[in-house]
Structure formats: structure tokens, C-alpha cells
Amino acid sequence: MAAEVLSQSGLKVDLYDGMPSVGRKFLLAGVGGMNITHSEAYPAFVSRYAERAPMVAPLLRGFGAQALCEWIHGLGINTFVGSSGRVFPSDMKAAPLLRAWLKRLRDAGVVIHTRHRWLGWNADNSLRIASPEGELSIAPAATLLALGGASWARLGSDGAWLPVLEQCGVGVAPLQAANCGFEVSAWSELLRSKFAGAPLKNVAMGLPGHTLRLGECVLTQTGVEGSLVYALSAQIREAINQSGAACVEIDLLPGKSLADVQKALGKPRGSRSMSKHLHSQLGIDGVKAALLRELAPNGAFADPQLLGRAVKCLPLILIKPRPIDEAISTAGGVKFEAMDPRLMLKALPGVFCAGEMLDWEAPTGGYLLTACFASGRTAGLGMVDWLRGRLEQTP
Ligand SMILES: Cc1cc2nc3c(=O)[nH]c(=O)nc-3n(C[C@H](O)[C@H](O)[C@H](O)COP(=O)(O)OP(=O)(O)OC[C@H]3O[C@@H](n4cnc5c(N)ncnc54)[C@H](O)[C@@H]3O)c2cc1C
């Protein structure tokens, strides 16, 4: 995005990427259906960035969801709004969009150098770039770093930039997994062998004292993952950071009240087992029944009142996030206080930052890419502004 703004302003742009091709994570995001942005109204949209909403808002004001859709249409790709309000390119894919975008950049004179890895700065402030021909020293008029977070390192973003910037006096927050799965201390052998991979559908989940969210997730060998868990991942991660573990509550039947559940379970069951009773009265079987067995308090299967409470509020203790490399995105990165409103680093004039490497996070739903696009554009415009200012100062 920055390269586009800069080249449109008549500036010469060289783009370096450590990988053999650019946009690998962007392409991966297209594999499961590229959710590029969201159609909800702006106040709800910006609230997805939680505590960082005030910092992300100016970026979105410059280039928000609507502007992003128009930009995609300008590349000859249509978009549609899914039933959840999420916005997708019409074929759900990232590759046609990336192809059209790269062509436009190349046509505008942007030179793309792949297999060129930025290592930091030389003593004379030139950039150190490792290339197949050896290390290069490059001295641009201005630099933009858009090096991503630290998940899926094999696609290029490994977070190796963080200590380099830290050593230069740039304020950075540690990179942490976001939109990620979490681990329990140990599932029983039965749950792991029979139900790892099973989807837990139509449930609600949340931290105590918070409204539970409806959705679905998946039991894994080590814990839980999936969209409902990702949506809660910032809260769960912070609870673990503070207390060493997070207790989430699961409502296995969000469509029924506690009283209805307890009434159903209190009906005479004759010689039927409680498991059969659960199934016939409430339709609970399979993975939901197994999870209930795993997590309900002792004695619950002999006490309909207690079991009813467990159905409606099953406590699940999560002890750690899955490794950062598996996460959809990362939290942490370059602090907003370390940059001016143009996204230029205060400690390194002429060096700008954009994308996931900035210290914001958001749930899935298109909010990640939208903020990446918006910050890239802001930084590009900021670079034009800064370069013009320098030209004007030159006698
Ligand atoms: C499985 C998956 C699905 C996703 N789906 C969606 C989705 O549907 N919607 C959504 O909004 N978001 C989605 N995301 C998140 C989204 O893809 C990222 O937030 C976004 O790609 C980040 O963009 P970025 O340009 O900041 O970083 P990246 O896309 O990570 O790009 C950073 C680039 O910098 C290069 N680089 C890193 N270090 C160096 C270095 N030292 N020298 C040279 N080059 C370097 C890398 O090779 C890479 O090309 C998904 C992520 C994953 C993992």
C-alpha cells in the first residue's frame, strides 16, 4: 500500500522481501476464503481494536472498510458481503487480487527484490540487506518496514526485527500469539483419542463476569481452537498472563435456560443411564457429552440439579496459548507511542512502520488485513509528506 502511494507520487520505490516471492501470508489467508474486511458500521468496526481503537481510528479514517472495497474493485475484483457481514473477494481467493495488485505496482515502476532480507543498519545508517549476491548496503531517502508479526515463520514473518528495533531505542511490546488455540493441562486419554478434532457446535463461551459469545470451536489433542476461541483469545491470554491460567465457562445449550435444563434432567429416567437421559431429554451426546463427563464436578451425573448447572456453565481451565508460530496473528510490536501520526519512528527519523508489526490486535473477521492496508497507506502518505518537507528544507 505504501509502495502504491509513493509510486503514484512520482517517487522511486524498491521493495525488498526475504522470501522467494511476496505476499505469502496474504495468499495463505486466501486459502480458507479471504475475508478482507467487514461491513459492520464504523463504531462497531473500530471497537474491534479494543484498547488500540483510538490509535487505529485515524488509520481507518484515512482508509477504512469502504475505501478498501473500492480499492479492490479498482483492481477489477468484485466483493460480496457474507451472511455474517464479512466481506470477501467474489471468488474468495487472494491470488487474483495479489496478481492484479503486483502488476499495477510493477507498471508504476516499483521494483521488487525477492530473497533480499533486511538485517538492520550499518554504522552510516545505510540498510543491511542480505541478498543471494552477498550483503548489500542501501541508503534510501526513507524506509518503510512492514515485516509482519511472528506467526507462520515459514511464510517470511519471523519477528527477528523486534530486537533490532529495540536496540535502536524503539519502544516495542513483546510479540504474543493472538487468534490462537489454547492448551488444557491434559485431556483424558478417552477424550483425546475419540474426540480430538471434533467440532463443538452451537455453544457459548466466555470468561466469568463477561457475556458469553455464541459460536463453535474444535477440541484438539492439547486443548481447544477455532473461531469462538480465537474471538476470546485476547481475554484468555491476558488472564493467563496475570494468573497463570484462565477459566472459561462453556454453555453447552445456549438456547435453553438453566431452569429448563434442570427440569428436563429432573424427569424420571427409570433404569436408563444418565447419559441416555441426557441424550433423550436434551439431545446431548457425542463430543458435548464427553466434555461434560470430562469437566463436570464429581457427583454431577448423580444429581440432575448439579448436572444442569454443569451443562449451562462448564468450567474449562486453559493454561497456555498454542505456540506463536501456529497463531493466525500476533499481538505486540512497535508501540504507537514510538511513532508520530505519520507512523514514522521517533527514534529513527525517516523510518516508518506498518502492518501487523505495530502493537495492535483484532479478532478475525477482516479486521487484521484492513488495519494492515490502512497503516500501509498512512505510512506511505507520511513518507511522501516527510520527503517533501526535507526537499523544501534543501537550499
Ligand atoms: C492462516 C491465516 C489466515 C488468515 N486469514 C485472514 C483473513 O481471512 N482476514 C484477515 O484480515 N487476516 C487474515 N490473516 C492475517 C493476515 O494475513 C495478516 O495479518 C497480514 O498478512 C499481515 O500483513 P503484513 O504485511 O503486516 O505482514 P505479512 O503478511 O506477514 O508480510 C510481511 C512480509 O515481510 C517479509 N519479511 C519479514 N521479515 C523480513 C526481513 N527481515 N527482511 C525482508 N523481508 C522480511 C516477509 O517475508 C513477508 O512477506 C490470516 C493469517 C493466517 C496465518
Side-chain angles (χ1 to χ4, degrees):
M1 293 307 285
E4 192 162 279
V5 171
L6 290 160
S7 57
Q8 280 166 358
S9 302
L11 292 158
K12 180 172 171 350
V13 182
D14 284 273
L15 191 155
Y16 298 91
D17 198 299
M19 297 300 283
S21 60
V22 297
R24 291 192 169 204
K25 190 176 277 181
F26 187 75
L27 288 174
L28 176 75
V31 169
M34 160 142 289
N35 175 202
I36 201 119
T37 190
H38 203 289
S39 63
E40 67 190 353
Y42 178 76
F45 193 106
V46 75
S47 74
R48 307 294 171 184
Y49 301 92
E51 310 94 79
R52 298 292 181 279
M55 293 84 159
V56 177
L59 313 178
L60 295 177
R61 274 199 294 274
F63 194 79
Q66 185 56 36
L68 176 52
C69 288
E70 285 162 15
W71 177 84
I72 296 167
H73 301 159
L75 285 167
I77 310 273
N78 284 328
T79 52
F80 75 95
V81 182
S83 54
S84 58
R86 293 173 180 224
V87 179
F88 302 87
S90 46
D91 59 0
M92 309 278 282
K93 292 189 184 132
L97 177 55
L98 184 62
R99 250 195 323 270
W101 186 12
L102 288 175
K103 180 177 181 323
R104 190 155 87 185
L105 288 174
R106 287 195 172 104
D107 289 350
V110 175
V111 180
I112 298 176
H113 311 260
T114 53
R115 298 181 204 271
H116 280 64
R117 186 174 169 81
W118 172 77
L119 302 174
W121 287 274
N122 293 304
D124 63 359
N125 285 337
S126 59
L127 301 174
R128 291 180 57 208
I129 305 270
S131 82
E133 288 78 42
E135 191 171 317
L136 311 175
S137 297
I138 291 160
T143 302
L144 170 82
L145 301 175
L147 305 171
S151 72
W152 291 73
R154 61 191 174 281
L155 301 180
S157 323
D158 56 10
W161 52 265
L162 190 133
V164 180
L165 289 189
E166 204 168 23
Q167 274 160 25
C168 294
V170 176
V172 287
L175 297 175
Q176 300 190 77
N179 293 302
C180 57
F182 287 87
E183 297 185 10
V184 296
S185 65
W187 289 134
S188 66
E189 180 50 34
L190 178 79
L191 200 76
R192 217 177 33 239
S193 60
K194 281 197 146 177
F195 294 101
L200 204 55
K201 295 192 174 182
N202 299 321
V203 294
M205 193 185 272
L207 278 92
H210 291 79
T211 314
L212 302 195
R213 289 180 74 106
L214 288 168
E216 63 181 76
C217 61
V218 178
L219 293 198
T220 65
Q221 288 283 341
T222 53
V224 284
E225 64 177 28
S227 55
L228 185 53
V229 177
Y230 299 161
L232 296 168
S233 61
Q235 282 177 27
I236 298 174
R237 190 192 63 229
E238 290 315 311
I240 293 174
N241 285 347
Q242 273 177 24
S243 328
C247 179
V248 296
E249 297 171 351
I250 305 175
D251 182 346
L252 294 175
L253 287 179
K256 285 194 189 303
S257 70
L258 173 62
D260 285 348
V261 169
Q262 287 176 327
K263 193 169 155 205
L265 290 175
K267 286 185 185 162
R269 63 182 164 103
S271 59
R272 277 183 311 180
S273 69
M274 188 54 103
S275 299
K276 289 221 167 81
H277 195 51
L278 260 174
H279 185 204
S280 64
Q281 291 297 323
L282 295 170
I284 292 184
D285 60 0
V287 61
K288 281 191 178 177
L291 196 64
L292 198 54
R293 280 256 173 230
E294 182 94 1
L295 300 175
N298 286 342
F301 274 74
D303 178 345
Q305 296 296 303
L306 202 54
L307 189 59
R309 270 208 294 282
V311 167
K312 290 296 291 172
C313 184
L314 197 57
L316 172 66
I317 310 282
L318 300 169
I319 56 162
K320 61 174 174 179
R322 289 293 299 158
I324 195 166
D325 197 46
E326 288 178 19
I328 302 274
S329 60
T330 45
V334 177
K335 292 184 178 173
F336 279 89
E337 306 86 79
M339 298 174 290
D340 73 7
R342 300 174 291 192
L343 302 183
M344 184 170 82
L345 293 173
K346 290 175 186 165
L348 298 169
V351 180
F352 296 71
C353 293
E356 200 179 307
M357 69 185 287
L358 305 188
D359 180 22
W360 56 272
E361 67 176 309
T364 55
Y367 309 105
L368 298 166
L369 283 172
T370 306
C372 289
F373 280 108
S375 59
R377 204 177 146 80
T378 300
L381 290 168
M383 290 170 90
V384 173
D385 181 61
W386 185 77
L387 288 166
R388 282 211 181 110
R390 296 230 314 170
L391 265 182
E392 279 160 17
Q393 281 165 20
T394 314

